[in-house]
Structures are given as C-alpha cells and as structure tokens.
Amino acid sequence: MLTAVVGVNWGDEGKGRMVDLLSEGYDVICRYQGGNNAGHTVVNDRGKFILNLLPSGVLRDGAVNVMGCGMVVNIEHLCGEIAALAEKGVTLTPDTLQISDKAVICLPYHVQQDIWEEERLGDQKYGSTRRGIAPVYGDKSMHKGLRMGDLLEPETLKDKLSAVLEWKNLTLKGYGPVKIDLPGTWRWLGEYGTRLRPYVADTTQTLSAYAGDGKNILFEAQLGTLRDIDYGIYPYTTSSQTLASYATTGAGIPGSKLDRVIGVMKAYSSAVGGGPFAVEMSGAEADALREAGAEYGAATGRPRRVGAFDVVASRYGAMMQGADELALTKLDVLSYMEKIPVCTAYEIDGVKTDRFPAGSDRLTRAKPVYDYLGGFKTDISKCRKPGDLPDAALGYIRYIEEAVGRPITYVSVGPERNDYLVMR
Ligand code: GDP
C-alpha cells in the first residue's frame, strides 16, 4: 500500500499531525520535497515535537524514515533536529533514518542569499522563510548543487565545492563585496556531514525492496497545492512540487503508483508569506481566529494570515492532489463563531466564478462571495464519533464535503494524537 498525505491549501493544514496518526500500520514514512522551511507539529504521549526536515514517522517505534531525493537538506539543522530528538529519548539509527544520496545540501550561503534577495526586494518580497530554499533549488537546476552522496567522497567533494564557489561568488557580486570562503564552508561540511554520513543511502534501492516486499509506505508532503511551484500561486510558491503525483519521484521510486491520496484540509484558511489570499480577514475578526487557532508559523513563529474556508481554492487544491479522501482539521477552532463564513465563489472584474485562477494576476483581483452557516458554539474537542458532534458541526462538515466534492473521512478536533473522528 502506497499512500500520500498531502496539503490541499496553502500549507499548515495539520499534515504532521495526520501523518503521526495515520503512520500506525505503515512500515516506511518518506518526506519527498522541501527542506527546513517546513514545520510539522506533532503532539503525542512523548511530548510536543516540531519537525522541519525529519519525517513525522520518527515518533513511531520501528518505522523506517526516508528523506527523499526531492528534498534539500540543511545538514547543520538536521544534526540539531536529531540531537533534540535524542534529548527527548528518540534515538535515530541508520536502520530508522535514511537520507537519499541524491538529496541536495542546503549550505549557509543559500540561506544568506535568500536573506539578501528578500531584503533587496523590499516591499515586493515573497515572504520567504529565509531558510535558503529558493537559492538551493535554483542551484540544483543550474547543476551547481552538492548532494548528500558527496559527503561519502570527501576527496572529490572539496574540488566540487571549490568549483561551485568560484561560480557562486561571481553570481553574488550584485549584492555587494561578498565572498563565500572555501575554508569556512569546507569546515561546515566536515563538521555536520561527518555526523550524517551513516544515514546516507541509495533510497531507491531500499524503497524498491520495501515496495517489492509489500510493505506499507506513507509519503508525507510539505506545504499544500497552492504553494506548488507549477500549479500554485506562482511566484508566491515554494520551489518544489507539493503534489501527490510527485511523491514517488521525490522519494526515489518514480515508477510506482500510489494506492491512496489523503488530502489534508483545514476547516478555515491560513497562509504564511506573500501572495493573493482572497479570503483574508483583518482587524479583530482576524485576531480572534488567529488566537483561537494558534496560527503562528511552526518554522518561523510569524503570525499567519487567516480567513474563512475557501471552497474555490480547496476544490482546486483537492483536484490537483487527486485526493481520494479528505481529512478536515482544526474544526474545534471554529467553536467560538456565531456564524461561520464560507467563501463559495469569487467575483473577478465583475464576473462571478467558481474556478481558481492559480498563478494568474486575476487572482489578485478576486473578491470573495460568502455564504454563512450556523455556528456550533460548543466545545467539540472531546467528540470521538460523528454522533457526538452537534448538528451544526455535522452540517458544516457535510456542506464542505459536498462543495469540495471529495469524501471527508477524518475530522480532527484537537492537536493530540487521539483528538479525531472517523466519519465513515
Ligand atoms: P503542517 O505543517 O501541515 O503539519 O501543520 P502545522 O504543524 O504547521 O500546523 C498545524 C498546527 O495545528 C499544529 O500546531 C498542530 O498541533 C495543530 N493542530 C493540528 N490539528 C489540530 C486540530 O484539529 N485542532 C487544533 N486545535 N489544533 C490542531
């Protein structure tokens, strides 16, 4: 069984929590794109964990965790994450963590370049997490990336680094009199690379063997459809493919077909960073929702932009993911609302539409058209089966299910592992 758990919206849908929940019964958990710009929050009986690079399956005993070739890896950050887990009693070994030899290393100069570029852009900035993600993916496409497998060949790595830095320093000149120094970067690679060498593997071999043995593999995405580099709200996207269709490629077994795609969708909207966000609330209305949902970035601590559930964006998001089913998260957060707004259409240049114009300037002119549903005004966080839910909450779930056009199989009503209901 090959299953992908992916984001339907702008990210931060609660994928980490759903992966932690669903990973029971899976032998292997893979992250297949992105880097430490992700912040997957998992709360379980061992405590609260924020995972940036590691797959959320690291908290399941016995699961094998794979970081695929579609990822970009800041090795200093990864060493920190592994050490922080060890402090909480979760020890990773080469049997429980494997990093693709083809994943690209995110170096300190990528982070620096990200910061310089955001500063250069000023008011026009993308709202990057400033973790170096766009520069490192850019270098990968320019064939200037250093890969995790290079850490196993220190002799040739130094020559590769030297050649790359010669080019990099040429390209960075426009930012001022900067020079990335070879000895410092080499020391950094040595310090963190040496620690990670035991985990570097040909994950295609491992995953193929697991798939061949009929093991269950879960693919964990970062961000959501609307931040996909191709199909999202370009240029306010991330730099990688967030779609389920990329899961097997980014993990290392591109010839395999997924059996199940679970789209994770939040009961309202949130977004981090720049770009059009038609349903954005402001003032006291936004503050109330942000506080109720604790909408502050897991990776950066930034306050998230918040708004009503967006049917137009979510229907597009679920379609592009090819979601067989949906997990609706954070329904409990809406408990305080008297009436719940839902955006059912956009009005663009005076014309009403229910199509999401991804990546087009038209999206910046979209005005939301709202429908209002009755609020449930009661704490639903202890509900564990559909019959426990008040009618208004059930009505909201059914309304969204019909509007988005895919079955909602899970509803999450709290951050902890068992705070959820199975709907069918
Ligand atoms: P991800 O990046 O998609 O994994 O999502 P994040 O971890 O950035 O954001 C989800 C946040 O909401 C985390 O703090 C979770 O602990 C929390 N969370 C997840 N599901 C629920 C839920 O159903 N209710 C509440 N109240 N919090 C939730």
Side-chain angles (χ1 to χ4, degrees):
M1 175 75 121
L2 305 187
T3 301
V5 177
V6 293
V8 164
N9 309 123
W10 294 261
D12 307 316
E13 297 93 345
K15 294 174 298 294
R17 166 260 187 289
M18 287 310 299
V19 171
D20 178 61
L21 169 68
L22 295 165
S23 58
E24 186 168 32
Y26 283 84
D27 307 290
V28 186
I29 321 292
C30 305
R31 272 276 309 267
Y32 60 88
Q33 38 80 234
N36 61 320
N37 50 336
H40 292 174
T41 312
V42 179
V43 185
N44 60 28
D45 46 8
R46 289 164 150 175
K48 179 173 177 177
F49 301 85
I50 295 179
L51 303 169
N52 303 121
L53 283 161
L54 290 167
S56 300
V58 290
L59 302 167
R60 283 274 177 204
D61 288 333
V64 177
N65 291 274
V66 171
M67 295 171 55
C69 60
M71 289 190 74
V72 287
V73 184
N74 180 322
I75 55 177
E76 178 178 356
H77 192 95
L78 182 57
C79 285
E81 242 179 283
I82 294 172
L85 276 186
E87 270 175 29
K88 290 189 175 177
V90 181
T91 309
L92 294 168
T93 68
D95 288 333
T96 55
L97 175 66
Q98 295 185 15
I99 310 165
S100 169
D101 53 2
K102 297 174 188 61
V104 175
I105 302 172
C106 182
L107 286 118
Y109 59 75
H110 293 121
V111 179
Q112 194 55 63
Q113 188 180 350
D114 203 355
I115 295 167
W116 284 332
E117 179 57 11
E118 283 286 282
E119 281 170 2
R120 188 190 71 81
L121 285 167
D123 290 349
Q124 306 297 313
K125 64 177 186 273
Y126 295 118
S128 159
T129 52
R130 301 181 177 217
R131 300 280 167 101
I133 306 302
V136 65
Y137 273 114
D139 284 7
K140 173 181 174 176
S141 296
M142 294 281 287
H143 322 148
K144 306 292 188 196
L146 301 174
R147 310 210 291 184
M148 292 301 292
D150 291 327
L151 297 173
L152 305 178
E153 314 260 357
E155 297 311 317
T156 47
L157 176 58
K158 193 161 191 186
D159 291 341
K160 284 185 189 177
L161 175 65
S162 172
V164 165
L165 284 191
E166 198 180 318
W167 167 80
K168 197 76 204 175
N169 279 319
L170 277 178
T171 66
L172 291 178
K173 269 190 182 153
Y175 291 109
V178 292
K179 191 162 190 298
I180 309 300
D181 87 304
L182 178 62
T185 314
W186 178 244
R187 267 198 308 280
W188 184 88
L189 277 169
E191 178 172 356
Y192 301 106
T194 313
R195 288 191 227 168
L196 293 174
R197 260 188 233 155
Y199 302 100
V200 178
D202 179 347
T203 53
T204 294
Q205 295 266 0
T206 352
L207 286 174
S208 304
Y210 284 130
D213 289 348
K215 300 262 193 229
N216 294 326
I217 305 179
L218 189 70
F219 300 93
E220 174 182 14
Q222 180 228 359
L223 287 166
T225 304
L226 307 173
R227 298 289 188 190
D228 181 84
I229 178 85
D230 295 310
Y231 298 100
I233 53 170
Y234 190 85
Y236 298 97
T237 58
T238 195
S239 305
S240 62
Q241 291 83 357
T242 62
L243 299 185
S245 49
Y246 184 69
T248 55
T249 302
I253 43 170
S256 309
K257 287 199 177 62
L258 293 173
D259 299 297
R260 187 181 179 202
V261 177
I262 303 170
V264 186
M265 193 171 80
K266 193 141 69 176
Y268 53 93
S269 300
S270 75
V272 177
F277 186 44
V279 291
E280 183 162 19
M281 291 174 178
S282 59
E285 192 186 19
D287 291 344
L289 183 51
R290 187 178 299 112
E291 287 309 310
E295 293 297 344
Y296 297 90
T300 59
R302 289 188 288 182
R304 292 177 183 150
R305 302 160 77 191
V306 291
F309 185 84
D310 186 334
V311 170
V312 184
S314 301
R315 193 190 303 120
Y316 171 80
M319 175 184 80
M320 299 309 285
Q321 291 291 11
D324 301 305
E325 56 191 289
L326 298 168
L328 185 70
T329 59
K330 302 191 92 164
L331 186 62
D332 56 302
V333 171
L334 301 184
S335 292
Y336 76 94
M337 290 187 176
E338 291 290 341
K339 50 184 183 143
I340 308 176
V342 177
C343 168
T344 54
Y346 294 161
E347 195 191 294
I348 305 176
D349 303 333
V351 179
K352 205 168 150 185
T353 178
D354 61 3
R355 291 243 179 115
F356 187 76
S360 130
D361 281 349
R362 294 178 65 233
L363 188 58
T364 59
R365 301 193 296 278
K367 296 193 184 69
V369 177
Y370 290 112
D371 198 358
Y372 292 89
L373 278 75
F376 29 99
K377 295 292 291 173
T378 180
D379 178 12
I380 59 166
S381 63
K382 302 285 177 297
C383 296
R384 292 293 175 269
K385 50 186 193 310
D388 297 343
L389 288 170
D391 287 348
L394 272 177
Y396 186 74
I397 296 166
R398 295 295 169 232
Y399 181 99
I400 285 185
E401 184 172 64
E402 193 161 319
V404 175
R406 317 255 160 171
I408 294 176
T409 41
Y410 300 93
V411 171
S412 159
V413 291
E416 305 219 1
R417 194 177 263 175
N418 294 322
D419 299 341
Y420 73 101
L421 303 83
V422 178
M423 296 305 292
R424 45 185 82 224

